[in-house]
Amino acid sequence: MEAMALHAHGQPLRRETRPTPEPGPGQVRIEVEACGVCRTDLHVVDGELPDAPLPIIPGHEIVGIVEALGEGVTQVARGARVGVAWLARTCGHCSYCLEGRENLCDAALFTGYTRDGGYATHVIAEADYVFPLQAEQESPASVAPLLCAGLIGWRCLRAAGNARRIGLYGFGAAAHILAQVCRWEGRTVHAFTRPGDAAAQALALSLGAAWAGGSDQLPDEPLDAAIIFAPVGALVPAALRAVRKGGTVVCGGIHMSDIPAFPYSLLWEERRIVSVANLTRQDGHGFLDIVPPAHIHTHTTQYALADANRALADLREGRLVGAAVLIP
């Protein structure tokens, strides 16, 4: 198989030819049709997430066709189109798993971080952790960003509760999907982009946002909740300034720069800061079920697998509008 692998943090991925892997018991081998490029991949490549076993193949927004079944696999058939997301495996018996919070499992494995991911022509996945995809859904490239950007946005929105006025900080892959969910649920979206990013602001308005501006601005009305997707700690006090009394600020990233000191007055009056970690399989099924009725569409830029380093660079430098997707 062909793959793009990371051998040293901060270095470009290397293009490699490897033997096509065989699935073990309970696993499936998937021929990758598309793999989204997530900001978490940047954190892996840049060494901001610890303990990645190098070399590692990044990528966890995977759409593909089941090509081979391991021993004991009955829940998925050869030829089925499936999705593979960040959560690759959990122990199933720790207190978190038993409480329905498998996203916090201490023994969890993660696709593209602690297990090889989808920047390749083939990937191995646990059959219990893949998501069946509807045959009539859009192209694999359009579906791929749903497998993380969509899922983590969905979990963040649930953490925001019944908030009607939502601020989305960092209007990229996750926010452009979540804005459509909010519109479908009847919520009002305020989109915050890098200052001066007219293209991202225009995309937000085209997707139904009521307001779009720079992250250095305040919205035109107080927010019930804000969700931060950009990995910028300075946005936390900015979002606290934007939410009303009793409002919630949700931090949706797996990595963020340090949060600067801020006056207690920004947190007072029962404002809350919460983080969202990983996701559960229940999140995945719940979100994918609403994609068709909500008429969610992704805005993507496609790259050949061999151009993975260019896709990561474009994401790092803010040159993307929407989501990047690799095509083997």
Side-chain angles (χ1 to χ4, degrees), residues 146-304:
L146 303 178
L147 273 302
C148 182
L151 294 186
I152 203 66
W154 176 251
R155 188 169 180 86
C156 288
L157 189 60
R158 303 276 72 80
N162 295 321
R164 308 311 299 171
R165 296 187 300 275
I166 301 281
L168 302 181
Y169 284 79
F171 204 85
H176 96 280
I177 295 170
L178 191 56
Q180 299 173 66
V181 177
C182 290
R183 180 185 62 191
W184 181 66
E185 291 186 341
R187 306 182 195 233
T188 301
V189 170
H190 293 69
F192 296 83
T193 72
R194 295 186 186 199
D197 191 342
Q201 292 169 21
L203 176 60
L205 294 172
S206 74
L207 294 174
W211 178 94
S215 58
D216 55 346
Q217 298 177 254
L218 286 172
D220 55 357
E221 59 180 340
L223 306 174
D224 299 319
I227 300 173
I228 301 175
F229 293 115
V232 181
L235 292 178
V236 173
L240 285 171
R241 289 187 180 91
V243 300
R244 65 178 178 84
K245 292 184 286 187
T248 300
V249 174
V250 181
C251 300
I254 195 170
H255 173 83
M256 180 181 277
S257 60
D258 289 347
I259 300 171
F262 57 86
Y264 176 66
S265 58
L266 292 182
L267 186 62
W268 190 55
E269 297 174 319
E270 300 193 355
R271 295 174 179 87
R272 300 187 306 137
I273 304 171
V274 299
S275 69
V276 165
N278 311 315
L279 53 94
T280 67
R281 284 171 284 177
Q282 184 178 358
D283 293 328
H285 292 296
F287 173 68
L288 292 172
D289 283 347
I290 67 102
V291 167
H295 302 291
I296 294 172
H297 302 284
T298 59
H299 294 250
T300 63
T301 301
Q302 296 185 27
Y303 299 77

Side-chain angles (χ1 to χ4, degrees), residues 59-144:
H60 57 274
E61 298 179 335
I62 305 166
V63 175
I65 301 297
V66 175
E67 188 178 73
L69 308 179
E71 180 183 351
V73 174
T74 59
Q75 61 272 58
V76 63
R78 286 188 184 89
R81 175 169 284 153
V82 296
V84 181
W86 173 246
L87 190 67
R89 185 177 183 177
T90 58
C91 73
H93 55 74
C94 70
S95 61
Y96 295 115
C97 288
L98 295 177
E99 292 167 2
R101 297 193 292 170
E102 65 181 5
N103 58 307
L104 300 179
C105 174
D106 288 329
L109 296 176
F110 301 103
T111 312
Y113 172 36
T114 56
R115 171 176 281 187
D116 281 336
Y119 286 20
T121 56
H122 295 81
V123 67
I124 297 293
E126 303 294 321
D128 285 339
Y129 288 77
V130 303
F131 297 101
L133 298 175
Q134 300 293 329
E136 65 272 16
Q137 280 184 309
E138 296 184 46
S139 70
S142 298
V143 174

